[in-house]
Amino acid sequence: DGGITQSPKYLFRKEGQNVTLSCEQNLNHDAMYWYRQDPGQGLRLIYYSQIVNDFQKGDIAEGYSVSREKKESFPLTVTSAQKNPTAFYLCASSAGQALSGNTIYFGEGSWLTVV
Amino acid sequence: GQNIDQPTEMTATEGAIVQINCTYQTSGFNGLFWYQQHAGEAPTFLSYNVLDGLEEKGRFSSFLSRSKGYSYLLLKELQMKDSASYLCAVWRAGSYQLTFGKGTKLSVIP
């Protein structure tokens, strides 16, 4: 089945550690995104990538890093510089930019907790 | 920049009709999305409006007025499973950035 797969579903991070969240899509979409969701808050854009080997910062990129070496993969690293990383992380993809029909589809999400 | 407002919470009765409003201010506009999100799950796509008017899809309808910066999501014949958060999101023209409102938590009661 076509879709977006995120792993792990649940992840615990110790203070000072870097952790990487995986995101893979088989929808043949060019664009991929990472959003963060905190309780009572909307989704906030961390990074996005329009095409392989290219990515752009979103509204809250500090303390995060990404790579886009393959079209189907867009991993997110939460670094120790991110002071409040506990949140629900959502990966998404779309066929292209803001044009009619280019809906953004989401993965199942990853819960990250700092312990 | 962009600003999207929607009510924080709403309560409605099973079988009734509920309207969830969304107002937005954006520099450039290329469509508005509604997503449904159950607690702890990913958002799922409900509707997309890029032109003014009403889009109907089963029990759900979405309306857009670009001149007023206003949209609503109409849910008919409410069911208990419709209890969820409903997210309004705006595509900024010429970009890859979809900006979300904070969501409206709908509780359907018997």
Side-chain angles (χ1 to χ4, degrees):
Chain A
D1 288 342
I4 303 170
T5 302
Q6 288 186 237
S7 64
K9 178 71 173 178
Y10 300 96
L11 185 61
F12 297 90
R13 193 195 89 169
K14 294 182 180 178
E15 296 280 352
Q17 272 187 340
N18 293 355
V19 293
T20 297
L21 307 180
S22 170
C23 179
E24 302 278 330
Q25 56 99 359
N26 60 5
L27 300 168
N28 200 33
H29 284 169
D30 285 320
M32 296 188 73
Y33 313 80
W34 275 104
Y35 287 88
R36 168 181 172 145
Q37 188 174 34
D38 295 279
Q41 301 292 319
L43 278 68
R44 292 183 291 168
L45 183 64
I46 304 172
Y47 268 98
Y48 66 98
S49 168
Q50 304 171 27
I51 198 168
V52 175
N53 292 323
D54 180 67
F55 48 83
Q56 307 293 329
K57 292 182 179 179
D59 299 321
I60 54 165
E62 185 175 352
Y64 300 97
S65 67
V66 293
S67 63
R68 187 83 188 279
E69 298 176 0
K70 299 186 294 182
K71 185 176 184 178
E72 59 270 23
S73 179
F74 191 41
L76 173 74
T77 297
V78 184
T79 75
S80 57
Q82 170 50 237
K83 297 307 179 187
N84 186 24
T86 296
F88 187 45
Y89 290 86
L90 286 158
C91 179
S93 71
S94 69
Q97 64 169 264
L99 294 171
S100 179
N102 282 339
T103 303
I104 284 188
Y105 296 96
F106 288 88
E108 293 297 309
S110 295
W111 290 93
L112 174 62
T113 303
V114 173
V115 296
Chain B
Q2 298 194 112
N3 190 38
I4 302 173
D5 289 314
Q6 43 181 137
T8 303
E9 294 186 40
M10 298 182 72
T11 301
T13 305
E14 189 176 14
I17 299 172
V18 70
Q19 177 174 313
I20 302 174
N21 296 325
C22 171
T23 59
Y24 64 89
Q25 296 170 323
T26 181
S27 54
F29 174 85
N30 206 24
L32 185 144
F33 289 89
W34 284 97
Y35 284 84
Q36 180 190 61
Q37 186 179 26
H38 285 99
E41 298 181 8
T44 55
F45 170 75
L46 290 177
S47 68
Y48 173 72
N49 294 70
V50 65
L51 299 176
D52 290 351
L54 188 69
E55 295 279 342
E56 297 188 74
K57 194 182 290 186
R59 293 190 298 116
F60 293 4
S61 302
S62 56
F63 172 83
L64 176 67
S65 169
R66 289 172 295 171
S67 62
K68 296 182 179 178
Y70 169 70
S71 173
Y72 67 73
L73 180 69
L74 193 71
L75 291 75
K76 303 175 186 176
E77 302 170 13
L78 281 172
Q79 302 175 9
M80 299 300 290
K81 67 178 182 180
D82 296 330
S83 293
S85 289
Y86 291 86
L87 310 179
C88 173
V90 172
W91 261 133
R92 188 163 27 171
S95 81
Y96 285 78
Q97 301 200 35
L98 186 63
T99 300
F100 285 81
K102 294 185 177 181
T104 299
K105 184 178 179 181
L106 174 66
S107 298
V108 180
I109 59 176

